[in-house]
Amino acid sequence: MEEIDVPTYFVCPISLQIMRDPVTLPTGITYDRENIEKWLFSCKNNTCPVTKQVLSGFDLTPNHTLRRLIQAWCTVNASLGIERIPTPKPPVDKTQIVKILNEAKTSPNMQLKCLRRLRSITLQGERNRSCLEAAGVVEFLAKIIRSHGPDLMINADIDDGSELTKACYEALSILYHLNVSETYLKNNIMVNNGDQFVEALVEVLKHGNYQSRSYALMVLKSIFEVADPIQLISVKPDYFTEIVHVLRDQISQQAFKASLKLLGELCPWGRNRIKAVEGGAVSVLIDLLLDVTEKRTCELILNVLDQLCRCADGRAELLKHGAGLAIVSKKILRVSHAASDRAVRILSSVCKFSATPRVLQEMLQVGVVSKLCLVLQVDTSLKTKERAREILKMNSRVWRDSSCIPAHLLTSYPS
C-alpha cells in the first residue's frame, strides 16, 4: 500500500491520530475533543498537555476551519483507504439536559424516550458526561433504579419488555457509562437512600438480563469502593450469592473481573468471608481456576481464595472440592510471583489449621509437597520461600521420607 503523508497539524498531540473534532484551548494548542476532554474531565488535569500552562478555564473552541480541511483531505484520499470524518454534533449544555429531565419527570409516558436521549448524549464525550452529572442526572437515574429495581422481581417471569423494566435497564446503562466520580457517589448516592439503591442493584443481579446484570455489578463495585466500614460489615448474605452467580455465569469479561475485585474488597470485613463461602464462592472459584490461563484473572481468583481460606468454612470447602488442593498447587510458579505467593498462603492456612492425616496424605499424592520443595530451589520471592519452608518443616515427620517426592526435590527438603 502507498504510504500516506498525513499533515502534522491534522494530528492530535495526545493520541497522535487524525483529529475528528478539533478544538482549541486558550493556550492556542488544538486537540481532538475526545482526547482533551478525557485529559481534563476524567483525568482531572488543569494544564495544557503540550505547553504545561495552568488553564484558568476549560473553554474548548471548535476549530471549524481545521475540521473542514481534514474532511476535505480525507475525501481526496478516500481511494487510499482514508475514512471520511463526519461533522461532529455540538456538545450539549446544562439547559438542554434540564429540559429533558423536566420532560421525563412531568410526563411518565415520555420517560423511556428521554432516557434514550440521555444515553445518546452520554456516549458523545467526556464533556457531555460531566455536564450530565452537574445537571443532576445521576440523582434522577438513581431514583429510577430505586423505584423500578424491586419491580423486576414481580415481572421476572413475564419478560424484559415492560416499560418499567426497560426504563430501569436504560438508567443503569447511562449510570455505568457516566463513570460517576467517587466523591459524587459518596456524597450524593450513598447519603440519599444508599441502602435502597444497593438493594435495587441486587434485584437487577437476581432478575435482570445479562447486560443489565453486568452494568449493575460494575455500579455496585463502584458503590462499595466508597462505602464506609459499617456499610461494608453489614453487607447481606444474598449479595454474595448474586455476585457469585455473576462469576459462575461469566456474563461478560468486565463484570467477571469486577466480581473478583469486589469479593476481594468485601471479604476482609466482619463476617463477609463466611457469607461468601455460604454463597458458594469457593467451589465456583476452584472450577474457574481449572480453566483460566490469563495471568491477572488467576491472581484475582487466588487472592479471593486466600481470603476465604482464612476462615474454617472456607478451608473446609476447598478441601471438599476434589480439585482444590491440586489446582492451587498447580498455579505455583506457573503464573506470576504474586500468584505463587497467594497459592502458598492458601496452603499455609490449610496446613496450620486443617491438617488432618487425610489432608496431609492428599497433599503428598497430588504433588503439593513436591511443588513446595521446588519453590525452595527456584527464583521466587523471599516471603514465598519462607512460607514454603515453614509448611515443609511443620509436616516433616509425615512427608520427609515419602517416596512421592522425587529425589532431586527431596534434597531441598529443610532439615
Side-chain angles (χ1 to χ4, degrees):
M1 181 180 292
E2 182 182 345
E3 187 174 337
I4 303 168
D5 186 19
V6 181
T8 55
Y9 53 93
F10 286 3
V11 175
C12 174
I14 297 175
S15 67
L16 303 181
Q17 301 294 318
I18 296 175
M19 290 183 279
R20 304 179 70 85
D21 185 7
V23 292
T24 304
L25 286 182
T27 58
I29 306 298
T30 298
Y31 301 90
D32 193 35
R33 181 185 293 278
E34 181 181 358
N35 296 308
I36 193 61
E37 285 184 353
K38 188 173 183 180
W39 169 266
L40 295 173
F41 301 121
S42 291
C43 301
K44 308 298 182 186
N45 292 301
N46 66 345
T47 58
C48 172
V50 171
T51 67
K52 309 302 181 188
Q53 287 178 259
V54 176
L55 301 170
S56 57
F58 294 156
D59 294 329
L60 305 176
T61 305
N63 193 329
H64 297 300
T65 302
L66 180 57
R67 173 180 49 80
R68 292 189 188 104
L69 284 172
I70 293 172
Q71 287 177 321
W73 180 86
C74 290
T75 301
V76 169
N77 289 278
S79 60
L80 299 176
I82 299 296
E83 177 188 358
R84 188 183 184 282
I85 294 172
T87 301
K89 295 179 181 179
V92 297
D93 58 35
K94 189 174 179 179
T95 306
Q96 292 172 279
I97 296 169
V98 170
K99 183 179 178 182
I100 296 171
L101 289 179
N102 289 336
E103 187 177 355
K105 292 172 184 176
T106 56
S107 306
N109 60 324
M110 292 291 292
Q111 189 177 81
L112 187 58
K113 183 178 179 181
C114 291
L115 284 168
R116 286 171 176 160
R117 286 164 64 190
L118 289 174
R119 183 179 61 171
S120 176
I121 293 169
T122 302
L123 299 176
Q124 288 171 17
E126 294 293 334
R127 184 186 178 282
N128 280 3
R129 290 191 275 274
S130 296
C131 194
L132 286 165
E133 185 175 310
V137 168
V138 176
E139 291 93 334
F140 171 68
L141 298 173
K143 185 177 180 181
I144 290 176
I145 295 166
R146 281 197 303 268
S147 301
H148 300 345
D151 295 328
L152 295 177
M153 179 172 62
I154 300 170
N155 299 324
D157 296 328
I158 305 173
D159 56 37
D160 286 341
S162 74
E163 290 292 304
L164 294 179
T165 301
K166 288 179 180 178
C168 184
Y169 290 173
E170 284 288 350
L172 254 179
S173 172
I174 298 166
L175 192 58
Y176 165 70
H177 286 104
L178 277 175
N179 195 22
V180 184
S181 66
E182 290 186 0
T183 303
Y184 198 96
L185 285 173
K186 188 176 183 67
N187 297 336
N188 296 77
I189 301 300
M190 293 304 287
V191 170
N192 301 318
N193 302 309
D195 291 342
Q196 290 180 27
F197 182 66
V198 171
E199 287 280 0
L201 290 176
V202 174
E203 287 301 319
V204 176
L205 289 181
K206 289 179 182 178
H207 305 295
N209 58 29
Y210 271 20
Q211 186 67 76
S212 64
R213 289 172 68 200
S214 180
Y215 288 148
L217 191 283
M218 289 182 283
V219 172
L220 196 63
K221 177 179 175 292
S222 299
I223 289 290
F224 279 123
E225 284 175 346
V226 300
D228 60 45
I230 298 299
Q231 291 167 319
L232 293 171
I233 289 169
S234 57
V235 174
K236 296 181 180 180
D238 62 320
Y239 293 10
F240 287 96
T241 302
E242 296 311 319
I243 295 168
V244 170
H245 286 170
V246 171
L247 272 179
R248 180 199 62 198
D249 297 342
Q250 300 186 53
I251 58 179
S252 76
Q253 186 64 19
Q254 202 171 7
F256 179 73
K257 286 192 175 181
S259 301
L260 290 170
K261 291 176 182 177
L262 180 54
L263 284 174
E265 289 162 6
L266 291 176
C267 282
W269 297 92
R271 298 184 70 256
N272 287 350
R273 291 188 182 97
I274 295 172
K275 296 173 191 174
V277 171
E278 291 174 347
V282 175
S283 61
V284 169
L285 289 168
I286 294 170
D287 288 342
L288 292 169
L289 201 56
L290 288 166
D291 298 322
V292 167
T293 56
E294 198 264 324
K295 173 186 167 183
R296 182 58 182 151
T297 305
C298 283
E299 292 174 346
L300 290 170
I301 293 174
L302 288 167
N303 176 52
V304 180
L305 279 174
D306 175 31
Q307 294 279 353
L308 298 180
C309 285
R310 296 181 195 184
C311 71
D313 291 352
R315 293 190 298 273
E317 286 297 311
L318 178 84
L319 296 172
K320 187 192 298 184
H321 196 294
L325 287 172
I327 190 59
V328 169
S329 171
K330 184 178 180 180
K331 295 301 177 181
I332 298 174
L333 305 178
R334 291 194 175 195
V335 181
S336 66
H337 286 315
S340 296
D341 183 62
R342 289 294 178 183
V344 172
R345 286 168 69 108
I346 293 167
L347 298 175
S348 178
S349 294
V350 170
C351 286
K352 284 181 179 178
F353 306 110
S354 305
T356 64
R358 183 193 67 80
V359 169
L360 294 177
Q361 193 60 36
E362 182 183 350
M363 293 177 86
L364 265 175
Q365 292 171 347
V366 300
V368 171
V369 183
S370 296
K371 183 60 74 74
L372 291 172
C373 289
L374 183 59
V375 167
L376 300 182
Q377 294 183 356
V378 301
D379 178 31
T380 188
S381 73
L382 186 60
K383 284 187 177 180
T384 304
K385 285 181 183 288
E386 288 174 354
R387 198 168 281 118
R389 185 176 288 106
E390 181 186 18
I391 297 170
L392 291 168
K393 280 186 174 182
M394 194 187 308
N395 301 288
S396 60
R397 286 186 179 182
V398 180
W399 292 341
R400 185 170 178 81
D401 298 322
S402 172
S403 59
C404 294
I405 307 174
H408 69 283
L409 295 175
L410 194 58
T411 57
S412 62
Y413 201 104
S415 55

